[in-house]
Amino acid sequence: MAIKYLFQAGNYISEVEDTLYGSFIEHLGRAVYTGVYEPGHPCADEQGFRRDVMDMIKELKVSTVRYPGGNFVSGYNWMDGIGPKEQRPVRLDYAWLSKETNEFGIGEFYDWAKKTGVTPMVAVNLGTGTPQEAGYFVEYSNIKGGTYFSDLRKQHGHEEPFNFKYWCLGNEMDGPWQTCHLEADDYAKKALETAKIMHWVDPSLKLVACGSATTTLPSYPEWDRIVLERVYNEVEALSCHHYFENSTGNINDFLGSFVLMDNFIHTITSTADYVKAKLRSKKDMMISFDEYNIWSIAGEPWMDFFDRDPNNRFTKAPPLLEQHYTFLDALVLGGLMCTLINHSDRVKMASLAQLVNVIAPIFTKPNGEAIKQTIYYPFMWASVYGRGKALRYFANVPHIETIHGQTKTLQSAATYNEQTKEISLFILNIDQTQDQEISLVLDGFGKVELKDRQELVGYELSAQNTFITPDAVVPKHRAFTDAEKQSLCVKIPALSFSLLTLKVEGEL
Ligand code: AHR
């Protein structure tokens, strides 16, 4: 019996914000140097920005890029990265035990973002940094002129302000690994005082406070409550960070990672709603899921990178967190993308962490090519096709038991684009052997036509894209059969991530 997927015109979750499809570049490993920036590379433009990488980012339709960190930001002085390059200091980066030359700083990031067509999301240092330095950073970036820092920006060649809109109040300050980590109440006080200054300098800023860095910290979710109780009125959103890995070695558990993300979002929205009630506020707190991805932390070579050879410490752009993604990872990311779309009423911003070389969909060779990793495709599908309104649907799908409890074998999300009159349906089938037949029932959309089907399916779970075989794992188009077109019953293959495009007449 086919599983019924029931959609009703007008029954939607929310408009999907452009900012849901953001990403992240940190001064970490080769994300910046030999990632987005490599003067002398055959594809580099006059500022040293790699055009091959920019083209891929454009194809991914990345909306925002968070910068400069990450853990890096908690020891970073933004003033090190401005002015003439030859006068910029070379520093020790405490987060990644690397050497930071500061050749690429805030002005270069602004220029790069403009050329790449992405909106900057910048983070201030609330580790070693002070509220006043954050205020100066806003002044340098967003004030037109006539003050010390705004005039300095002009002297540095940027006559017009950067007008950065999205700002993170530090990074993962709940994590003991963070430079100058803080307890919840101490962070909340510092974040509030910083936010006040930043808003005095530019009231239009949209600020994001640090929420939990992972669900595994003992402070989760008390941290979130304590922080929100203090900063609620000053911020637009609270951040969530989580990396997913195959920690049990059981493929079903890993494929079911979307349940973990789903639970995390439920917990944080509930916590935020509790604080809203306690403060008698009328405002709903949004979530910025500004770090998520698959990251096999255990057993990755970067863990003992510094221990193996002490001479590796404090080198420029060492090859850190260079994860090579598999077909299995692409399926897992497909499930996570669905979860983000299904929570688009509260998750208004998100950043795939990261974008280039460091746990990233794009991977480069210094002085060589750039390739698309397997996870490039599920992100691209969501970002390109997951626009418009996220649809609510009903589907009674089978469940299996995983470490996350009862887990749906089909994880899905759907969006309706009013302009193109198309519905995009994303479906992950985590069942390792069973294809699933689904029957699409669309009420109130007029005539429905199956238009296109793309699938990520049929590869070895460990298959990867490499410099030698860059297209080993790519989506394939599969035409609909006449029977499928007539019945609107479609087979979803075992272990696959599919994108079905449906043409409708429109909402009636
Ligand atoms: O993305 C890699 C690191 O993971 C980031 O620097 C940090 O914020 C998180 O712990």
Side-chain angles (χ1 to χ4, degrees):
M1 254 275 272
I3 300 161
K4 219 180 252 176
Y5 266 70
L6 196 59
F7 298 90
Q8 265 181 330
N11 191 357
Y12 59 88
I13 300 163
S14 170
E15 201 67 42
V16 177
E17 297 294 331
D18 192 42
T19 43
L20 192 68
Y21 302 118
S23 189
F24 175 33
I25 294 275
E26 175 170 2
H27 281 257
L28 193 185
R30 299 193 305 110
V32 173
Y33 305 112
T34 74
V36 295
Y37 176 79
E38 190 177 353
H41 186 280
C43 294
D45 71 5
E46 66 295 344
Q47 283 185 282
F49 305 150
R50 280 186 66 155
R51 288 198 191 88
D52 52 347
V53 173
M54 274 185 197
D55 288 346
M56 287 187 187
I57 297 170
K58 286 179 190 165
E59 185 186 51
L60 279 176
K61 270 193 164 228
V62 171
S63 54
T64 54
V65 172
R66 188 167 169 257
Y67 172 86
N71 297 340
F72 171 79
V73 79
S74 302
Y76 177 60
N77 183 345
W78 67 271
M79 293 180 216
D80 289 344
I82 58 173
K85 287 195 184 195
E86 59 291 353
Q87 288 169 24
R88 296 184 193 174
V90 174
R91 300 268 190 211
L92 300 181
D93 156 28
Y94 308 139
W96 304 105
L97 304 186
S98 307
K99 186 199 277 180
E100 178 51 59
T101 61
N102 286 305
E103 292 154 71
F104 188 100
I106 206 68
E108 286 75 24
F109 174 64
Y110 171 79
D111 292 342
W112 174 83
K114 206 164 169 193
K115 287 180 176 176
T116 315
V118 299
T119 303
M121 180 184 199
V122 280
V124 299
N125 174 354
L126 289 194
T128 60
T130 65
Q132 184 161 57
E133 282 159 12
Y136 290 156
F137 189 4
V138 181
E139 179 187 333
Y140 182 88
S141 305
N142 288 12
I143 295 290
K144 223 172 159 18
T147 66
Y148 177 78
F149 282 107
S150 58
D151 287 343
L152 197 59
R153 183 200 65 244
K154 289 177 171 203
Q155 271 173 42
H156 294 160
H158 286 98
E159 186 58 32
E160 291 306 315
F162 301 149
N163 287 326
F164 294 144
K165 181 171 165 190
Y166 303 106
W167 294 74
C168 303
L169 294 164
N171 176 70
E172 295 187 352
M173 296 308 300
D174 55 337
W177 58 85
Q178 204 65 215
T179 309
C180 299
H181 147 74
L182 295 169
E183 294 303 319
D185 208 42
D186 296 331
Y187 167 72
K189 283 181 197 151
K190 190 168 181 181
L192 178 66
E193 297 312 311
T194 307
K196 277 161 52 184
I197 293 182
M198 292 171 75
H199 271 147
W200 286 330
V201 180
D202 182 350
S204 74
L205 303 186
K206 306 257 184 237
L207 303 183
V208 179
C210 287
S212 285
T214 161
T215 56
T216 55
L217 282 174
S219 53
Y220 164 79
E222 261 303 272
W223 168 279
D224 304 84
R225 179 191 65 77
I226 294 167
V227 169
L228 281 180
E229 284 191 6
R230 219 177 263 269
V231 303
Y232 205 88
N233 293 331
E234 289 286 342
V235 305
E236 196 75 8
L238 185 74
S239 73
C240 289
H241 289 184
H242 203 85
Y243 291 95
F244 303 84
E245 64 179 326
N246 190 356
S247 49
T248 61
N250 177 316
I251 289 166
N252 286 343
D253 291 346
F254 189 34
L255 284 163
S257 295
F258 59 85
V259 180
L260 223 161
M261 187 187 232
D262 202 51
N263 291 342
F264 189 5
I265 296 170
H266 276 298
T267 304
I268 298 304
T269 46
S270 309
T271 306
D273 290 348
Y274 166 80
V275 176
K276 176 187 175 189
K278 196 169 171 194
L279 300 180
R280 313 290 189 256
S281 172
K282 290 195 171 62
K283 169 171 116 179
D284 284 326
M285 183 58 55
M286 298 302 155
I287 290 179
S288 173
F289 214 119
D290 47 44
E291 285 191 36
Y292 70 93
N293 203 347
I294 289 106
W295 180 10
S296 310
I297 300 176
E300 271 289 301
W302 73 275
M303 284 290 269
D304 60 354
F305 183 83
F306 304 111
D307 299 342
R308 257 183 296 130
D309 178 0
N311 296 324
N312 272 334
R313 288 158 59 94
F314 299 116
T315 58
K316 182 184 169 190
L320 299 178
L321 281 62
E322 300 204 344
Q323 179 148 351
H324 301 292
Y325 287 104
T326 63
F327 170 56
L328 175 59
D329 295 326
L331 295 179
V332 175
L333 188 69
L336 301 180
M337 297 314 301
C338 291
T339 301
L340 289 175
I341 294 171
N342 289 333
H343 284 284
S344 53
D345 54 337
R346 296 300 287 270
V347 182
K348 294 293 177 192
M349 298 182 248
S351 308
L352 177 71
Q354 299 193 3
L355 188 51
V356 186
N357 292 334
V358 172
I359 40 174
I362 300 170
F363 196 73
T364 69
K365 201 185 257 180
N367 203 30
E369 317 84 282
I371 58 168
K372 300 171 184 176
Q373 296 231 54
T374 60
I375 59 165
Y376 186 95
Y377 298 104
F379 180 86
M380 183 177 80
W381 281 359
S383 170
V384 173
Y385 301 99
R387 304 281 178 161
K389 290 170 175 163
L391 292 177
R392 221 182 284 285
Y393 61 89
F394 176 79
N396 200 2
V397 307
H399 284 61
I400 51 168
E401 189 64 27
T402 71
I403 194 172
H404 316 292
Q406 280 291 300
T407 303
K408 293 182 285 183
T409 49
L410 292 180
Q411 156 73 335
S412 8
T415 53
Y416 169 55
N417 185 327
E418 258 163 349
Q419 269 84 54
T420 58
K421 303 260 182 284
E422 283 177 2
I423 290 178
S424 305
L425 176 58
F426 306 90
I427 305 194
L428 167 72
N429 183 1
I430 71 168
D431 198 303
Q432 295 188 43
T433 52
Q434 285 280 304
D435 298 344
Q436 298 283 7
E437 199 177 17
I438 63 162
S439 152
L440 299 167
V441 182
L442 286 93
D443 184 13
F445 286 97
K447 192 166 166 265
V448 181
E449 238 177 88
L450 295 180
K451 189 181 162 201
D452 189 32
R453 164 167 53 196
Q454 298 186 59
E455 291 172 336
L456 273 165
V457 67
Y459 298 105
E460 291 287 326
L461 287 179
S462 58
Q464 299 179 345
N465 293 337
T466 65
F467 287 108
I468 298 161
T469 54
D471 296 325
V473 179
V474 289
K476 295 170 204 153
H477 286 268
R478 185 158 67 93
F480 292 107
T481 64
D482 287 342
E484 284 178 322
K485 283 187 196 159
Q486 269 155 30
S487 63
L488 296 185
C489 279
V490 182
K491 214 166 243 159
I492 307 297
L495 277 183
S496 67
F497 185 53
S498 306
L499 165 59
L500 308 180
T501 310
L502 284 66
K503 188 89 192 161
V504 295
E505 267 177 338
E507 284 181 293
L508 304 177

PDB file of all heavy atoms in Angstrom, residues 40 85 94 113 119 124 136 141 156 161 223 253 256 282 294 377 391 421 433 439 443 455 462 480 488 501:
ATOM      1  N   GLY A  40      47.820  34.566  -6.836  1.00  0.00           N
ATOM      2  CA  GLY A  40      48.751  33.778  -7.655  1.00  0.00           C
ATOM      3  C   GLY A  40      48.117  32.521  -8.221  1.00  0.00           C
ATOM      4  O   GLY A  40      48.649  31.909  -9.140  1.00  0.00           O
ATOM      5  N   LYS A  85      48.296  45.964   4.058  1.00  0.00           N
ATOM      6  CA  LYS A  85      48.567  44.562   4.410  1.00  0.00           C
ATOM      7  C   LYS A  85      49.958  44.376   5.008  1.00  0.00           C
ATOM      8  O   LYS A  85      50.147  43.582   5.926  1.00  0.00           O
ATOM      9  CB  LYS A  85      48.423  43.675   3.172  1.00  0.00           C
ATOM     10  CG  LYS A  85      46.997  43.482   2.742  1.00  0.00           C
ATOM     11  CD  LYS A  85      46.843  42.334   1.775  1.00  0.00           C
ATOM     12  CE  LYS A  85      45.386  42.312   1.335  1.00  0.00           C
ATOM     13  NZ  LYS A  85      44.964  41.111   0.681  1.00  0.00           N
ATOM     14  N   TYR A  94      45.038  31.219  19.003  1.00  0.00           N
ATOM     15  CA  TYR A  94      44.928  30.260  20.111  1.00  0.00           C
ATOM     16  C   TYR A  94      43.929  29.137  19.825  1.00  0.00           C
ATOM     17  O   TYR A  94      44.047  28.048  20.363  1.00  0.00           O
ATOM     18  CB  TYR A  94      44.476  30.961  21.401  1.00  0.00           C
ATOM     19  CG  TYR A  94      45.294  32.168  21.802  1.00  0.00           C
ATOM     20  CD1 TYR A  94      44.676  33.307  22.305  1.00  0.00           C
ATOM     21  CD2 TYR A  94      46.677  32.158  21.691  1.00  0.00           C
ATOM     22  CE1 TYR A  94      45.417  34.416  22.681  1.00  0.00           C
ATOM     23  CE2 TYR A  94      47.426  33.271  22.069  1.00  0.00           C
ATOM     24  CZ  TYR A  94      46.795  34.392  22.555  1.00  0.00           C
ATOM     25  OH  TYR A  94      47.513  35.487  22.922  1.00  0.00           O
ATOM     26  N   ALA A 113      32.612  39.163  -0.249  1.00  0.00           N
ATOM     27  CA  ALA A 113      31.181  38.860  -0.114  1.00  0.00           C
ATOM     28  C   ALA A 113      30.393  39.562  -1.223  1.00  0.00           C
ATOM     29  O   ALA A 113      29.475  38.986  -1.819  1.00  0.00           O
ATOM     30  CB  ALA A 113      30.684  39.297   1.260  1.00  0.00           C
ATOM     31  N   THR A 119      25.520  37.767   1.665  1.00  0.00           N
ATOM     32  CA  THR A 119      25.342  38.783   2.698  1.00  0.00           C
ATOM     33  C   THR A 119      26.222  38.428   3.896  1.00  0.00           C
ATOM     34  O   THR A 119      26.132  37.315   4.419  1.00  0.00           O
ATOM     35  CB  THR A 119      23.868  38.819   3.160  1.00  0.00           C
ATOM     36  OG1 THR A 119      23.063  39.066   2.012  1.00  0.00           O
ATOM     37  CG2 THR A 119      23.614  39.878   4.210  1.00  0.00           C
ATOM     38  N   VAL A 124      31.468  39.218  16.696  1.00  0.00           N
ATOM     39  CA  VAL A 124      32.393  39.996  17.525  1.00  0.00           C
ATOM     40  C   VAL A 124      33.008  39.073  18.568  1.00  0.00           C
ATOM     41  O   VAL A 124      32.447  38.029  18.902  1.00  0.00           O
ATOM     42  CB  VAL A 124      31.703  41.203  18.217  1.00  0.00           C
ATOM     43  CG1 VAL A 124      31.144  42.164  17.184  1.00  0.00           C
ATOM     44  CG2 VAL A 124      30.599  40.762  19.188  1.00  0.00           C
ATOM     45  N   TYR A 136      33.463  49.703  18.487  1.00  0.00           N
ATOM     46  CA  TYR A 136      34.355  50.305  17.484  1.00  0.00           C
ATOM     47  C   TYR A 136      34.240  49.569  16.141  1.00  0.00           C
ATOM     48  O   TYR A 136      34.335  50.171  15.076  1.00  0.00           O
ATOM     49  CB  TYR A 136      35.809  50.227  17.960  1.00  0.00           C
ATOM     50  CG  TYR A 136      36.165  51.135  19.130  1.00  0.00           C
ATOM     51  CD1 TYR A 136      37.251  50.818  19.955  1.00  0.00           C
ATOM     52  CD2 TYR A 136      35.446  52.302  19.391  1.00  0.00           C
ATOM     53  CE1 TYR A 136      37.610  51.641  21.011  1.00  0.00           C
ATOM     54  CE2 TYR A 136      35.798  53.123  20.456  1.00  0.00           C
ATOM     55  CZ  TYR A 136      36.876  52.795  21.270  1.00  0.00           C
ATOM     56  OH  TYR A 136      37.227  53.602  22.312  1.00  0.00           O
ATOM     57  N   SER A 141      32.515  49.766  10.598  1.00  0.00           N
ATOM     58  CA  SER A 141      31.788  49.101   9.506  1.00  0.00           C
ATOM     59  C   SER A 141      30.569  49.885   9.020  1.00  0.00           C
ATOM     60  O   SER A 141      30.296  49.900   7.820  1.00  0.00           O
ATOM     61  CB  SER A 141      31.292  47.720   9.968  1.00  0.00           C
ATOM     62  OG  SER A 141      32.355  46.950  10.465  1.00  0.00           O
ATOM     63  N   HIS A 156      41.205  53.536   4.490  1.00  0.00           N
ATOM     64  CA  HIS A 156      41.593  52.192   4.051  1.00  0.00           C
ATOM     65  C   HIS A 156      40.946  51.812   2.719  1.00  0.00           C
ATOM     66  O   HIS A 156      41.010  50.659   2.309  1.00  0.00           O
ATOM     67  CB  HIS A 156      41.236  51.150   5.129  1.00  0.00           C
ATOM     68  CG  HIS A 156      42.024  51.304   6.383  1.00  0.00           C
ATOM     69  ND1 HIS A 156      41.627  50.771   7.593  1.00  0.00           N
ATOM     70  CD2 HIS A 156      43.203  51.940   6.627  1.00  0.00           C
ATOM     71  CE1 HIS A 156      42.524  51.074   8.524  1.00  0.00           C
ATOM     72  NE2 HIS A 156      43.484  51.783   7.962  1.00  0.00           N
ATOM     73  N   PRO A 161      30.082  52.901   3.888  1.00  0.00           N
ATOM     74  CA  PRO A 161      30.056  51.912   4.984  1.00  0.00           C
ATOM     75  C   PRO A 161      29.701  50.513   4.491  1.00  0.00           C
ATOM     76  O   PRO A 161      29.071  50.356   3.456  1.00  0.00           O
ATOM     77  CB  PRO A 161      28.978  52.443   5.922  1.00  0.00           C
ATOM     78  CG  PRO A 161      28.240  53.479   5.186  1.00  0.00           C
ATOM     79  CD  PRO A 161      29.087  53.955   4.047  1.00  0.00           C
ATOM     80  N   TRP A 223      21.704  26.943  29.941  1.00  0.00           N
ATOM     81  CA  TRP A 223      22.453  28.068  29.356  1.00  0.00           C
ATOM     82  C   TRP A 223      21.516  28.973  28.560  1.00  0.00           C
ATOM     83  O   TRP A 223      21.521  30.201  28.713  1.00  0.00           O
ATOM     84  CB  TRP A 223      23.577  27.513  28.461  1.00  0.00           C
ATOM     85  CG  TRP A 223      24.221  28.546  27.591  1.00  0.00           C
ATOM     86  CD1 TRP A 223      23.744  29.029  26.408  1.00  0.00           C
ATOM     87  CD2 TRP A 223      25.441  29.260  27.850  1.00  0.00           C
ATOM     88  NE1 TRP A 223      24.587  29.990  25.891  1.00  0.00           N
ATOM     89  CE2 TRP A 223      25.641  30.150  26.767  1.00  0.00           C
ATOM     90  CE3 TRP A 223      26.384  29.239  28.894  1.00  0.00           C
ATOM     91  CZ2 TRP A 223      26.759  30.995  26.691  1.00  0.00           C
ATOM     92  CZ3 TRP A 223      27.491  30.084  28.803  1.00  0.00           C
ATOM     93  CH2 TRP A 223      27.664  30.946  27.724  1.00  0.00           C
ATOM     94  N   ASP A 253      21.288   4.756  13.053  1.00  0.00           N
ATOM     95  CA  ASP A 253      21.399   5.846  14.036  1.00  0.00           C
ATOM     96  C   ASP A 253      21.887   7.120  13.355  1.00  0.00           C
ATOM     97  O   ASP A 253      21.392   8.218  13.602  1.00  0.00           O
ATOM     98  CB  ASP A 253      22.404   5.485  15.138  1.00  0.00           C
ATOM     99  CG  ASP A 253      21.908   4.365  16.032  1.00  0.00           C
ATOM    100  OD1 ASP A 253      20.699   4.044  15.967  1.00  0.00           O
ATOM    101  OD2 ASP A 253      22.735   3.799  16.786  1.00  0.00           O
ATOM    102  N   GLY A 256      19.386   8.685  11.121  1.00  0.00           N
ATOM    103  CA  GLY A 256      18.310   9.312  11.904  1.00  0.00           C
ATOM    104  C   GLY A 256      18.749  10.591  12.609  1.00  0.00           C
ATOM    105  O   GLY A 256      18.029  11.102  13.471  1.00  0.00           O
ATOM    106  N   LYS A 282       5.970  40.165  23.986  1.00  0.00           N
ATOM    107  CA  LYS A 282       5.099  39.852  22.842  1.00  0.00           C
ATOM    108  C   LYS A 282       5.920  39.283  21.695  1.00  0.00           C
ATOM    109  O   LYS A 282       5.390  38.862  20.679  1.00  0.00           O
ATOM    110  CB  LYS A 282       4.385  41.121  22.369  1.00  0.00           C
ATOM    111  CG  LYS A 282       3.350  41.611  23.354  1.00  0.00           C
ATOM    112  CD  LYS A 282       2.425  42.630  22.695  1.00  0.00           C
ATOM    113  CE  LYS A 282       1.259  42.957  23.594  1.00  0.00           C
ATOM    114  NZ  LYS A 282       1.669  43.578  24.874  1.00  0.00           N
ATOM    115  N   ILE A 294      27.884  17.541   9.074  1.00  0.00           N
ATOM    116  CA  ILE A 294      28.406  16.254   9.501  1.00  0.00           C
ATOM    117  C   ILE A 294      29.886  16.471   9.769  1.00  0.00           C
ATOM    118  O   ILE A 294      30.589  17.058   8.942  1.00  0.00           O
ATOM    119  CB  ILE A 294      28.195  15.185   8.402  1.00  0.00           C
ATOM    120  CG1 ILE A 294      26.706  14.849   8.331  1.00  0.00           C
ATOM    121  CG2 ILE A 294      28.977  13.916   8.699  1.00  0.00           C
ATOM    122  CD1 ILE A 294      26.029  15.388   7.171  1.00  0.00           C
ATOM    123  N   TYR A 377      25.449  18.599  -2.850  1.00  0.00           N
ATOM    124  CA  TYR A 377      24.186  18.453  -3.580  1.00  0.00           C
ATOM    125  C   TYR A 377      22.937  18.603  -2.710  1.00  0.00           C
ATOM    126  O   TYR A 377      22.030  19.351  -3.086  1.00  0.00           O
ATOM    127  CB  TYR A 377      24.207  17.154  -4.387  1.00  0.00           C
ATOM    128  CG  TYR A 377      25.325  17.204  -5.408  1.00  0.00           C
ATOM    129  CD1 TYR A 377      26.510  16.506  -5.210  1.00  0.00           C
ATOM    130  CD2 TYR A 377      25.215  18.027  -6.523  1.00  0.00           C
ATOM    131  CE1 TYR A 377      27.563  16.604  -6.123  1.00  0.00           C
ATOM    132  CE2 TYR A 377      26.262  18.130  -7.434  1.00  0.00           C
ATOM    133  CZ  TYR A 377      27.429  17.420  -7.233  1.00  0.00           C
ATOM    134  OH  TYR A 377      28.459  17.535  -8.126  1.00  0.00           O
ATOM    135  N   LEU A 391       5.562  23.865   3.186  1.00  0.00           N
ATOM    136  CA  LEU A 391       4.211  23.302   3.300  1.00  0.00           C
ATOM    137  C   LEU A 391       4.106  22.336   4.473  1.00  0.00           C
ATOM    138  O   LEU A 391       5.030  21.565   4.741  1.00  0.00           O
ATOM    139  CB  LEU A 391       3.859  22.546   2.017  1.00  0.00           C
ATOM    140  CG  LEU A 391       3.685  23.396   0.763  1.00  0.00           C
ATOM    141  CD1 LEU A 391       3.401  22.506  -0.438  1.00  0.00           C
ATOM    142  CD2 LEU A 391       2.547  24.395   0.944  1.00  0.00           C
ATOM    143  N   LYS A 421       4.949  28.381  -9.558  1.00  0.00           N
ATOM    144  CA  LYS A 421       3.836  27.421  -9.371  1.00  0.00           C
ATOM    145  C   LYS A 421       4.392  25.995  -9.323  1.00  0.00           C
ATOM    146  O   LYS A 421       3.897  25.092 -10.005  1.00  0.00           O
ATOM    147  CB  LYS A 421       2.793  27.546 -10.489  1.00  0.00           C
ATOM    148  CG  LYS A 421       2.211  28.937 -10.636  1.00  0.00           C
ATOM    149  CD  LYS A 421       0.856  29.030  -9.956  1.00  0.00           C
ATOM    150  CE  LYS A 421       0.185  30.376 -10.105  1.00  0.00           C
ATOM    151  NZ  LYS A 421       0.731  31.437  -9.257  1.00  0.00           N
ATOM    152  N   THR A 433      16.848  -1.364   2.787  1.00  0.00           N
ATOM    153  CA  THR A 433      16.492  -2.368   1.779  1.00  0.00           C
ATOM    154  C   THR A 433      15.162  -2.080   1.076  1.00  0.00           C
ATOM    155  O   THR A 433      14.968  -2.502  -0.054  1.00  0.00           O
ATOM    156  CB  THR A 433      16.407  -3.772   2.428  1.00  0.00           C
ATOM    157  OG1 THR A 433      15.546  -3.668   3.566  1.00  0.00           O
ATOM    158  CG2 THR A 433      17.777  -4.273   2.851  1.00  0.00           C
ATOM    159  N   SER A 439       2.006   8.090  -2.352  1.00  0.00           N
ATOM    160  CA  SER A 439       0.927   8.576  -3.209  1.00  0.00           C
ATOM    161  C   SER A 439       0.689  10.048  -2.855  1.00  0.00           C
ATOM    162  O   SER A 439       0.448  10.391  -1.691  1.00  0.00           O
ATOM    163  CB  SER A 439      -0.304   7.708  -2.917  1.00  0.00           C
ATOM    164  OG  SER A 439      -1.453   8.432  -3.152  1.00  0.00           O
ATOM    165  N   ASP A 443      -4.622  18.834  -2.316  1.00  0.00           N
ATOM    166  CA  ASP A 443      -5.960  19.387  -2.256  1.00  0.00           C
ATOM    167  C   ASP A 443      -5.886  20.903  -2.454  1.00  0.00           C
ATOM    168  O   ASP A 443      -5.163  21.587  -1.726  1.00  0.00           O
ATOM    169  CB  ASP A 443      -6.511  19.034  -0.855  1.00  0.00           C
ATOM    170  CG  ASP A 443      -7.935  19.462  -0.701  1.00  0.00           C
ATOM    171  OD1 ASP A 443      -8.563  19.798  -1.720  1.00  0.00           O
ATOM    172  OD2 ASP A 443      -8.419  19.473   0.450  1.00  0.00           O
ATOM    173  N   GLU A 455      17.702  12.302  -8.090  1.00  0.00           N
ATOM    174  CA  GLU A 455      17.955  11.370  -6.979  1.00  0.00           C
ATOM    175  C   GLU A 455      19.442  11.258  -6.695  1.00  0.00           C
ATOM    176  O   GLU A 455      20.263  11.260  -7.610  1.00  0.00           O
ATOM    177  CB  GLU A 455      17.440   9.969  -7.342  1.00  0.00           C
ATOM    178  CG  GLU A 455      15.939   9.857  -7.420  1.00  0.00           C
ATOM    179  CD  GLU A 455      15.478   8.518  -7.974  1.00  0.00           C
ATOM    180  OE1 GLU A 455      16.247   7.857  -8.713  1.00  0.00           O
ATOM    181  OE2 GLU A 455      14.338   8.128  -7.687  1.00  0.00           O
ATOM    182  N   SER A 462      30.284   4.453   1.174  1.00  0.00           N
ATOM    183  CA  SER A 462      31.567   5.122   1.427  1.00  0.00           C
ATOM    184  C   SER A 462      32.064   5.905   0.207  1.00  0.00           C
ATOM    185  O   SER A 462      33.160   6.483   0.253  1.00  0.00           O
ATOM    186  CB  SER A 462      32.607   4.074   1.812  1.00  0.00           C
ATOM    187  OG  SER A 462      32.698   3.127   0.755  1.00  0.00           O
ATOM    188  N   PHE A 480       9.818  10.236 -15.034  1.00  0.00           N
ATOM    189  CA  PHE A 480       8.648   9.555 -14.455  1.00  0.00           C
ATOM    190  C   PHE A 480       8.049   8.618 -15.490  1.00  0.00           C
ATOM    191  O   PHE A 480       8.048   8.916 -16.686  1.00  0.00           O
ATOM    192  CB  PHE A 480       7.596  10.587 -14.038  1.00  0.00           C
ATOM    193  CG  PHE A 480       8.035  11.448 -12.886  1.00  0.00           C
ATOM    194  CD1 PHE A 480       8.381  12.778 -13.083  1.00  0.00           C
ATOM    195  CD2 PHE A 480       8.102  10.920 -11.598  1.00  0.00           C
ATOM    196  CE1 PHE A 480       8.786  13.576 -12.017  1.00  0.00           C
ATOM    197  CE2 PHE A 480       8.510  11.714 -10.528  1.00  0.00           C
ATOM    198  CZ  PHE A 480       8.859  13.034 -10.745  1.00  0.00           C
ATOM    199  N   LEU A 488       0.091   9.579  -9.793  1.00  0.00           N
ATOM    200  CA  LEU A 488       0.809  10.385  -8.785  1.00  0.00           C
ATOM    201  C   LEU A 488       1.339   9.500  -7.650  1.00  0.00           C
ATOM    202  O   LEU A 488       1.458   9.945  -6.506  1.00  0.00           O
ATOM    203  CB  LEU A 488      -0.052  11.518  -8.229  1.00  0.00           C
ATOM    204  CG  LEU A 488      -0.496  12.609  -9.194  1.00  0.00           C
ATOM    205  CD1 LEU A 488      -1.235  13.715  -8.447  1.00  0.00           C
ATOM    206  CD2 LEU A 488       0.682  13.240  -9.941  1.00  0.00           C
ATOM    207  N   THR A 501       9.860  17.516  -8.309  1.00  0.00           N
ATOM    208  CA  THR A 501       9.293  18.824  -8.641  1.00  0.00           C
ATOM    209  C   THR A 501       7.918  18.610  -9.259  1.00  0.00           C
ATOM    210  O   THR A 501       7.776  17.850 -10.220  1.00  0.00           O
ATOM    211  CB  THR A 501      10.201  19.585  -9.623  1.00  0.00           C
ATOM    212  OG1 THR A 501      11.529  19.558  -9.101  1.00  0.00           O
ATOM    213  CG2 THR A 501       9.760  21.018  -9.795  1.00  0.00           C
TER     214      THR A 501
END
